[in-house]
Amino acid sequence: MTSYHCPDCGTGSPVETALWCCPACRGPWDLDFTAAPVDLNSLPGRVNSLWRYEEALPLPTPAATSLGEGRTPLVPLTTTVSAKLDFLMPTLSFKDRGAVMLAELARGLSPRRVIADSSGNAGTAVAAYCARAGLDCTVYVPEATSAKKVEQIRAHGAHLELVPGDREDTATAARAAADTPGTFYASHVYNPYFLHGTKTYVYELWEELGGRLPEAIVVPVGNGTLLLGASIALSELHTHGLITERPALIAVQAEAVSPLAAAFHAGAEELLDESVESGPTLAEGIAIPRPPRARQILRAVRESGGTFLTVTEDQIRAAQLDLAARGLFVESTGVACWAAVGGWRDRTAVVPLCGAGLKTGLAPGQSVQ
């Protein structure tokens, strides 16, 4: 295995210690890992999952843990905007990309138990992949989490902890439990192996488009796991000469909870010191007031030449119905990117449809004729 390092203070740790964060500053880890180039011509005939990009992944292959995740369809929505249907993953969300990496890592470390915290989709994915890997799993979620997501977590055999309060309260409870000996914290925020799973989203785009990428990659951002994974992939592909130009990363937040967008447009390198007012939003999966990797997210968007966009609750409702009318039933968080760029005509772009509509149903206030 490779090793962890802290991007803030430089502290390092072997992966085998299973420390979930930097012991010096309590920040999230990065990974000391150098990907080898992936030969596009070698991909036909490989395993039909994200493990096909074995040269770029920080775990040995063939992997024992897999549910055939990845390889989701790319379909056009307009002449310039296409959608990648990541809600067709085994647990019906893009979080499978990172969860399979965490479960395979944990399987090799053999902890007594795995814990995760989530607003729903990441917890569901970790529960499913821990079941696949034969690992005992506990998932912490806010008590207001969608009943369908709670049911899905329980169905995979995970122990469920319903936490009073919001997503931040849930994370605090899980992190307290993460320090218990024999525990592996399958954090999609703090553990960088998750990001090396989500980066396969871009590798798939690159493969599906014949070694090219769109001019813009649009992603919803709460904790930034898909955006940071995309940034890693773009850096790797560019370093190896597999793309000549990097697409702009367009980050989308709900207007009601948009601390990163506020910091970006203020020209700040980290979250603003003063509190940014947050309200309820239909996009619960990206309603993160203080993402731990905020500095990295802001830097990645700026370095790509991208920007932040925000969407209102009415735009989210309209986008969900619009996609449903096109045959795609997506949960309200997953439609945020389409809400932001649905009318684009000036450049090619891909949006992810991240979670299935069956997880939450139609957003409140919707009416279908």
Side-chain angles (χ1 to χ4, degrees), residues 82-158:
S82 295
K84 190 155 173 59
L85 310 190
D86 260 25
F87 68 87
L88 297 180
M89 289 282 193
T91 76
L92 307 182
S93 93
F94 87 95
K95 296 290 177 62
D96 290 10
R97 294 186 183 277
V100 65
M101 299 292 290
L102 295 182
E104 179 68 0
L105 173 62
R107 188 189 65 81
L109 297 174
S110 300
R112 286 207 306 269
R113 67 168 182 165
V114 174
I115 67 169
D117 63 287
S118 168
S119 59
N121 285 338
T124 298
V126 170
Y129 283 93
C130 281
R132 186 70 169 177
L135 296 166
D136 183 81
C137 180
T138 299
V139 179
Y140 291 72
V141 298
E143 60 183 359
T145 298
S146 159
K148 290 295 184 182
K149 293 179 182 179
V150 169
E151 181 181 1
Q152 194 177 5
I153 291 168
R154 285 185 168 135
H156 291 307

Side-chain angles (χ1 to χ4, degrees), residues 218-221 250 252 311 333-342 351-352:
V218 189
V219 290
V221 175
I250 309 299
V252 178
V311 292
T333 298
V335 307
C337 291
W338 178 240
V341 304
V351 300

Side-chain angles (χ1 to χ4, degrees), residues 215-221 227 247-252 301 304-309 337 340-341 344 347 349-350:
E215 295 168 281
I217 293 176
V218 189
V219 290
V221 175
L227 183 139
L249 292 173
I250 309 299
V252 178
V301 173
S304 76
T307 191
F308 271 83
L309 303 175
C337 291
V341 304
W344 273 20
R347 54 179 156 174
V350 171

Side-chain angles (χ1 to χ4, degrees), residues 324-347:
R326 298 168 185 261
L328 301 166
F329 187 31
V330 184
E331 68 173 333
S332 49
T333 298
V335 307
C337 291
W338 178 240
V341 304
W344 273 20
R345 295 290 184 270
D346 59 337
R347 54 179 156 174

Side-chain angles (χ1 to χ4, degrees), residues 256-276:
V257 187
S258 53
L260 289 161
F264 181 89
H265 292 298
E269 295 183 357
E270 54 190 29
L271 296 181
L272 302 176
D273 290 335
E274 64 269 22
S275 61
V276 176

Side-chain angles (χ1 to χ4, degrees), residues 1 31 73 98 100 254 281 314:
M1 290 184 182
L31 199 61
V100 65
T281 177
D314 285 344

